[in-house]
Amino acid sequence: SEGVKNIVAITMELVEDHIPKRAEKFKQMVSSHSAKYSVDEPLIYAIMEQESAFNPVAQSWVPAYGLMQLVPESGGRDAYHHVYKKDIIPTPEYLYDPDNNIELGTGYLHKQMTVYFKGVNDPRCRMLCAIAAYNTGQGNVYYALTGKRTMSNAVKKVNTMTYDQLYTYLKRNLPHSETRDYIEKVTSRMQKYIKK
C-alpha cells in the first residue's frame, strides 16, 4: 500500500579461514560490533584493510587514526555522538584503542546507512553510498548525485538506479579520485570475506 516501505537487509556469511593473520586478533571485536550495529563483518574487515592494513596505530596525513582511520573532528565526532549520544571529539589515544576504533567506525557506517542514506531502498545501494560517504562525507556523495548537498533528492536519484548503475555513476561522478578508487577497493576487498 502507499506509504508503506519494506526494508530489506543483506547478510553475508564469512568464508572459512578468511581473516588475514593481522586481523585475527580483532575478530571478536568485529563480530561484537557487527552484531550490535547490524553492519556486515565483510564490510568492516574490508574498510579496516583498506584504511590501515589492520594496523591499530596507523595515522594518516589528514590526520585520521587507528584501524578504521577516523578523523576526530568529523567522522570520529559524528560516530561518537551516534554511539554514545554525547558531542565529544575523540582523542587520538582513544582512537588507537582497537575496540574503541572498531566500535566508532562500525557505528559511523551504521549511521551512514540508517540516517544519511535511510531512504535508499536497495540495501546494496545503501551500503555503496555508505562506503563512499565513509571516505568523503555524505555531503559530497549527495553532491555527486544531484549537484546539491541535501539528502532527499539524492536518495530519490539512487532509488532510480540498480546497484551496477549506481556503482558506475559514482565511479564517474564522485568529486575525488581517491573516493572513486576507494569504492572499488573496498567492494573488491569485501569479496574475500564473504562465504560463497
Side-chain angles (χ1 to χ4, degrees):
S1 70
E2 193 169 313
V4 175
K5 293 187 181 195
N6 293 324
I7 296 175
V8 178
I10 53 174
T11 302
M12 297 174 268
E13 299 210 17
L14 296 171
V15 295
E16 296 299 321
D17 300 321
H18 62 288
I19 302 174
K21 290 204 180 294
R22 286 169 292 158
E24 186 67 37
K25 61 184 155 186
F26 310 116
K27 185 176 179 179
Q28 185 55 46
M29 293 174 223
V30 169
S31 178
S32 172
H33 297 306
S34 168
K36 183 175 181 180
Y37 296 103
S38 300
V39 174
D40 288 316
E41 290 182 34
L43 176 56
I44 299 167
Y45 281 116
I47 286 185
M48 286 171 60
E49 182 180 349
Q50 175 63 32
E51 292 286 355
S52 70
F54 303 107
N55 176 0
V57 293
Q59 178 182 335
S60 75
W61 61 272
V62 173
Y65 300 94
L67 288 163
M68 297 184 78
Q69 287 293 281
L70 291 159
V71 178
E73 297 81 9
S74 56
R77 181 180 190 177
D78 199 13
Y80 198 95
H81 187 265
H82 183 66
V83 169
Y84 296 109
K85 310 299 181 234
K86 294 180 182 175
D87 187 15
I88 291 177
I89 297 172
T91 64
E93 293 74 27
Y94 184 89
L95 294 172
Y96 283 140
D97 178 277
D99 193 47
N100 293 341
N101 196 283
I102 294 168
E103 179 169 36
L104 290 188
T106 304
Y108 191 49
L109 285 166
H110 178 263
K111 184 170 187 178
Q112 294 293 343
M113 290 187 272
T114 62
V115 176
Y116 299 133
F117 296 98
K118 178 182 181 180
V120 174
N121 296 327
D122 181 331
R124 292 180 69 221
C125 289
R126 190 178 321 118
M127 180 187 66
L128 187 59
C129 290
I131 291 168
Y134 191 93
N135 179 261
T136 193
Q138 66 278 358
N140 283 333
V141 178
Y142 299 157
Y143 189 82
L145 289 161
T146 64
K148 297 182 179 169
R149 296 187 186 279
T150 58
M151 179 173 70
S152 61
N153 289 336
V155 167
K156 286 176 191 170
K157 184 162 186 169
V158 172
N159 284 335
T160 68
M161 296 185 225
T162 66
Y163 175 85
D164 291 336
Q165 289 169 333
L166 177 62
Y167 182 88
T168 300
Y169 185 91
L170 291 176
K171 281 287 290 172
R172 286 188 189 134
N173 294 288
L174 282 164
H176 305 292
S177 62
E178 175 190 333
T179 309
R180 294 191 297 270
D181 292 342
Y182 188 84
I183 62 171
E184 181 178 349
K185 289 175 181 175
V186 170
T187 55
S188 175
R189 287 188 163 124
M190 284 175 63
Q191 300 309 308
K192 68 178 157 184
Y193 300 108
I194 299 172
K195 187 184 280 187
K196 304 286 186 223

